[in-house]
Amino acid sequence: MTEQKYKFLSTPRRPVEDRRFVAGRGKFIADLDRPNMLHVAPLASHYAAAVINGIDASAALAMPGVVDVITGAELAAAVQPLMNGLNTPNVRRFPLAVDRVRYAGEWVCAVVAESRALAEDALEKIIVDATPQPFILDAEAALLDTSAPVHPEHGSNLLLDRKFVWGPVDDDFDAAAHSLSFSVTWGRNSTVPIETFGVLAEWNGWDQMLDIWASIQMPKYADQIARSLDLPGNAIRVHYDVDVGGSYGVKRGIKHSVLVGYIARKLGCSVRLIEDRLENMRAGDAHGPERKFDITIAFDQDGTVRSMKMRALDNAGAYAGRAPFQLGKPISAIVGPYQINSVAYHALSVTTNKTVQEAVRGFGQAPTNYAIETAMDRVAEYLGMDRLALRQKNLIRKDQFPYLIPSGSYYDSGDYHAVVDKVLTAADYPAMLAERDRLRDAGMMAGIGIAACLEPSGGNSSFEPLLNQSNQTSTWMESCQVNIDALGKVTARIHTTSSGQGHETLVSTVLGEVMQIDPELIRITRPNSLESLPGNSPVGSRMAIMLGGAAARAGEKLKAKIMAIAAHRLGVAIDELRYEGGDVLANDGRRLAWDEMVELAHRQYHNLPDGMDPGLASFDIMQVPTGDALPVDDKVQMYPCYSFEFHLLLVSFDPIIGRPDIHSYFIGHDCGTVINPAIVSGMTYGGIAHGIGAALFEEFAYDTNGQLLTQSFLDYLMPSSHEVPAIQIVKHCTPSPHTVFGQKGSGESGYLGAPAAVSGAINDAVSGLGIHFEKLPIRMSAISDAIAAKTS
Amino acid sequence: MKPVRFDYKRPATIDEACGLLASDDNARILAGGQSLIPMLSMRLSRPSLLIDIAHIPELTAFGETETHIEIGAMVRQAVAQKSEFVKTHIPLLAKALGYVGHPPTRARGTVGGSVAHADPSAEIALVAATLGAEITYRVDGADEIFDASDFFIGPMLTIAPPTGCLTRLSFVKAPAVCGTGFHEVAPRKSDYALASAAAQINFAAGSGVTSIHLGIGSVGDFPERLDVDQLCGTPLDDSAIADAVHAAMQMVETVEDLHATAAYRKRVATELAIRALRDARGEISKDLNQ
Ligand SMILES: Cc1cc2nc3c(=O)[nH]c(=O)nc-3n(C[C@H](O)[C@H](O)[C@H](O)COP(=O)(O)OP(=O)(O)OC[C@H]3O[C@@H](n4cnc5c(N)ncnc54)[C@H](O)[C@@H]3O)c2cc1C
């Protein structure tokens, strides 16, 4: 038996957080109560577009229990527009509509009352005088000169129009034997947390302090609130010690927080706003990418893919939001796991009269992976080549790492072929093929789905300077503080909320590993923002790398101090000492116990090395590995680590009913060194479930009047446990050279490839009929209708 | 998502409930709440008075006569699903109940509430319409009885009197030899169906097939009984079944929404009706072949 490399890392340990969640003892925004707390309900626009002529709130204000009605005009005069990260000064956005509404569901004004129910009663009494305007829903139509701009002051619907050429695209196309073109569309969907967004704000005029509790997953949240409210940064105190009931990108809440922050300050009280499901789905931060891809791909007869031209047109909705940048992240893995020599990328983001698009798990990577994987299937189909063999031919080889892709990022490490082989073995691929054929013989439609893709992780947001030159961001640090108290117990502080990622488990495991202390004995706390060091919250699959990294480094600093104390005490050089389970051993056999060193540090200054500060505390503010430089020539190293996943599944359906049944689902997953296996597997299972939703069920669909059709779980269908099959995870570990333990990100795993794989399986099932499904989600009705059209 | 303010009463008898209904023309009955509570929360329903009938003992009882089984309106779907009465005498309903929502919604949702609510995809309503169940309402102190086959007239629309309280459903007992089939298709397990079909073939030793009941739901504005009488007396082979169903489906109008096209609903309802009939035939194949 080989000796285990780690004591706590990579071992099956129960996540710390599970205990309180399973027992129902989490502390969420809805669990908080403050004296005399007021409640807010926003009034939603019926129109997809309208000019607001006036708002008469007198009847509402006259109702008992109603305290105030805030309009967009009042708010716009008092707060700064919300940041959007682009240079589009005339695409201004406030928490409430100002002069114009731009999507159905947009907040027109907000009632403040003694209860949420009273506030909703009052909403019904508000009379909005509005004149409907022409509106636009389709992104291609929004591009046309003849279409009315959603923001007339901006002059057009274009938010972003950037063309990149990386490598000799024209030469590669000229040299290639074949090329083919196709289009696919990724439907608007989300991650749909169980808990909708909620925020509680309280203004204390004597302290000049705005206290905020919010269910956020949002980088630089406090800064953005302070900027919008024109308050000094240290007048906003965000309390991170709340639980967040799910997010994956959609718990941003800036507009909600600016609104309640303004109200709290205006009225000198505490105010809470918790979205109901309708508000969450039509006007929260729920909507993710809606993207059309036009792809031309150049390849040789032997299946070598040489080059790709990709136009990605994203429907951002009514304001800039985060949508344009979600076209930026995929640049860091624009060739997927393949050796594609050159790429032309045209990224377009347009405004339409739909709900604003915000960040969703993978930040645009899953749609792009779907496009790339569809391209691989199409090339195989064109050449009459096996889809698997085509991928194996083009996958980057193990000996090519670090591998520089045309758009400027080095992939850190991987062994893609090994992962694929492991999955094929685990799934008994020949048996799977035989089962597919048996199902086909029995009159079913059956298909196998294959997808390989990457999860860029731990980056520094450098898509922002790439897409907006005035942005000079070159760090996306994370931090951790560690203190050993006078009784010898370890407490670490983290500076963010968690929405299910298990940061307490992460940090206690990592610190336990470094300090060789049982993680169960390490306490993790979350101070408020004013007591925190800089950090960027859990976005971009970064916390294992960045928070894990900062925790490990803070732990190493403490260990170094302990060693120095021991060396001084024992009168030997540090390199004659060994750290073991918290104690220090000298080569001559003498031992200093943990408690003795704690005693020295906390009480016996006279026994510390000269000039050493007393106590045992450390902190670390960690810079993103590999992420120091700004873009040059449209290229940049965007992420330090690239996790790999390979999906393989078998689907069948009745040709008339068209309801896909997933028989078996295998995923090979390599995210480097795993810190907590249960958390990584949980991410992957959930990600695949989410991906099945994106492929088959979930869509924020609009009718021709611009009304959102899927405003509740009656119509926004997420897969349930019945639709998600048993999933076999096949693990592989290629450590990253850039991180403390070789870990990579896994927060988006599963989701990044599942939609492509499920789509591929369904397309394989109908391939004999010459059908291509080119839009997600692929509804059962569309499947059956397409087959009927071919066979009747 | 907070309901409009309402009063709440919990009567102990049917007549007390009817009195309350008559006292306020914006009153509404609350049964299992699985449809009504969400409608209240979305303010789609805005009653001033809610009459909770969960505590009226007569409404939770089963009854049996020589020819019929009666199910009280307040019988929970989960209770009906487990009932030996239902399994023995209304096997088609027993089959359908497993498709109504999920275990938690069936634990609260009621048989009567489902019929009164009249969702076009309600399985219980489909079975009632297919079998021509009797639906009894108490109105102004008297019982009014409706034939389920023409009770449903639109989405959430019936010919029930607005001030009536549905008290019971009454089904003819299935004969000793009868075959049933139930099929539905939904995007996810137990979703509101995109198409559903129910079939029952009654058989009597000596006279053979005595009647064939077929109904489809979820495809139009209400569950519909289809006329396949032409099948009686035929050998009930696959092609006869298919022909009869195709003929009956010709007049059916189907609706379109985000989840399915009208053509899909028609195609699939046709297929499910055929499968339901075949299943029913399969259950009595021994008797048919004698
Ligand atoms: C997640 C979910 C999934 C569901 N899936 C399905 C499904 O697949 N198939 C299906 O059929 N249903 C489904 N339902 C609806 C469910 O079956 C409801 O229980 C049923 O439609 C209504 O029954 P109820 O007892 O809950 O009635 P309530 O919700 O209490 O009432 C419904 C309506 O009927 C009226 N009403 C109720 N009882 C009487 C009475 N005795 N006399 C007069 N009027 C009355 C009420 O006033 C109200 O208008 C689902 C519900 C949920 C929440």
Side-chain angles (χ1 to χ4, degrees), chain B residues 12-85:
Chain B
T13 66
I14 296 175
D15 287 330
E16 199 188 325
C18 289
L20 287 167
L21 265 178
S23 73
D24 182 341
D25 51 5
N26 194 21
R28 229 170 217 292
I29 287 177
L30 173 68
Q34 297 304 293
S35 297
L36 185 54
I37 298 290
M39 292 196 303
L40 295 180
S41 296
M42 303 234 224
R43 298 192 170 210
L44 296 170
S45 178
R46 310 167 61 97
S48 46
L49 172 63
L50 268 195
I51 305 164
D52 185 346
I53 58 169
H55 299 263
I56 302 177
E58 322 157 55
L59 291 182
T60 55
F62 287 93
E64 181 178 15
T65 68
E66 182 98 6
T67 52
H68 285 76
I69 293 293
E70 288 172 350
I71 306 177
M74 214 29 237
V75 169
R76 310 279 179 185
Q77 292 152 6
V79 172
Q81 192 185 1
K82 285 194 210 105
S83 148
E84 286 303 324
F85 258 146

Side-chain angles (χ1 to χ4, degrees), chain A residues 134-451:
Chain A
F135 56 87
I136 190 110
L137 302 170
D138 178 70
E140 291 286 4
L143 274 178
L144 302 175
D145 289 343
T146 47
S147 295
V150 173
H151 295 262
E153 319 76 27
H154 182 60
S156 82
N157 285 314
L158 262 183
L159 290 173
L160 180 79
D161 181 0
R162 282 292 301 277
K163 286 186 173 143
F164 298 91
V165 178
W166 298 297
V169 173
D170 290 338
D171 294 346
D172 286 339
F173 265 81
D174 287 345
H178 308 285
S179 74
L180 67 81
S181 302
F182 67 95
S183 301
V184 284
T185 300
W186 174 276
R188 215 169 236 258
N189 68 63
S190 183
T191 50
V192 198
I194 272 191
E195 176 207 39
T196 56
F197 180 77
V199 53
L200 194 170
E202 181 172 285
W203 175 253
N204 183 327
W206 302 108
D207 296 341
Q208 290 288 298
M209 181 75 79
L210 187 66
D211 281 294
I212 296 183
W213 295 261
S215 61
I216 38 163
Q217 181 211 355
M218 179 67 207
K220 320 230 190 273
Y221 171 81
D223 302 358
Q224 290 204 38
I225 309 298
R227 271 181 221 262
S228 267
L229 293 177
D230 278 329
L231 281 172
N234 61 6
I236 307 266
R237 184 162 54 198
V238 181
H239 297 261
Y240 293 139
D241 58 344
V242 292
D243 287 313
V244 179
S247 174
Y248 287 109
V250 299
K251 289 283 177 65
R252 306 185 76 79
I254 299 293
K255 76 169 182 181
H256 318 56
S257 305
V258 170
L259 174 64
V260 297
Y262 168 76
I263 296 169
R265 206 170 161 217
K266 177 182 176 191
L267 303 177
C269 63
S270 16
V271 190
R272 187 171 70 187
L273 167 58
I274 298 180
E275 293 172 334
D276 63 21
R277 191 59 66 180
L278 286 174
E279 285 152 9
N280 176 261
M281 294 202 124
R282 70 188 175 199
D285 298 327
H287 294 214
E290 174 184 350
R291 193 174 296 174
K292 175 168 176 267
F293 295 92
D294 297 300
I295 294 195
T296 305
I297 190 143
F299 49 97
D300 290 338
Q301 184 62 32
D302 69 356
T304 304
V305 176
R306 287 180 179 250
S307 184
M308 175 175 67
K309 295 177 185 167
M310 175 186 282
R311 172 185 185 265
L313 170 62
D314 211 286
N315 186 328
Y319 297 90
R322 292 301 283 170
F325 293 116
Q326 296 193 79
L327 287 162
K329 172 171 182 174
I331 290 172
S332 80
I334 198 68
V335 294
Y338 304 111
Q339 311 172 46
I340 300 174
N341 190 49
S342 59
V343 176
Y345 183 56
H346 187 187
L348 288 155
S349 181
V350 295
T351 48
T352 64
N353 295 96
K354 288 188 177 180
T355 301
V356 187
Q357 194 195 106
E358 294 291 354
V360 159
R361 194 189 222 152
F363 210 65
Q365 191 68 53
T368 304
N369 292 347
Y370 161 61
I372 296 171
E373 286 305 285
T374 305
M376 298 312 274
D377 282 350
R378 291 293 180 90
V379 169
E381 180 187 43
Y382 182 97
L383 293 172
M385 192 170 164
D386 181 64
R387 287 175 300 156
L388 186 62
L390 179 90
R391 285 176 169 85
Q392 284 168 320
K393 178 168 191 67
N394 287 285
L395 282 175
I396 297 162
R397 291 189 322 272
K398 179 185 176 185
D399 57 21
Q400 292 176 295
F401 292 97
Y403 182 87
L404 178 63
I405 67 166
S407 54
S409 285
Y410 277 98
Y411 292 166
D412 54 335
S413 65
D415 189 348
Y416 305 160
H417 290 92
V419 176
V420 171
D421 286 343
K422 270 190 181 178
V423 171
L424 296 177
T425 305
D428 191 353
Y429 186 56
M432 198 185 230
L433 286 168
E435 176 63 5
R436 176 187 68 179
D437 295 341
R438 190 194 66 74
L439 287 161
R440 286 180 178 175
D441 289 343
M444 299 292 280
M445 313 299 287
I448 287 175
I450 301 170

Side-chain angles (χ1 to χ4, degrees), chain A residues 714, chain B residues 21 28-39 45 53 59 73-74 76-77 99-102 105-106 108-119 121-125 137 164-167 184 190-193:
Chain A
L714 197 58
Chain B
L21 265 178
R28 229 170 217 292
I29 287 177
L30 173 68
Q34 297 304 293
S35 297
L36 185 54
I37 298 290
M39 292 196 303
S45 178
I53 58 169
L59 291 182
M74 214 29 237
R76 310 279 179 185
Q77 292 152 6
Y99 291 92
V100 182
H102 311 264
T105 68
R106 290 197 293 268
R108 294 207 67 86
T110 64
V111 172
S114 177
V115 169
H117 186 58
D119 188 285
S121 65
E123 293 82 0
I124 299 169
Y137 269 77
C165 175
L166 200 168
T167 57
E184 76 170 39
S190 290
D191 267 334
Y192 290 97

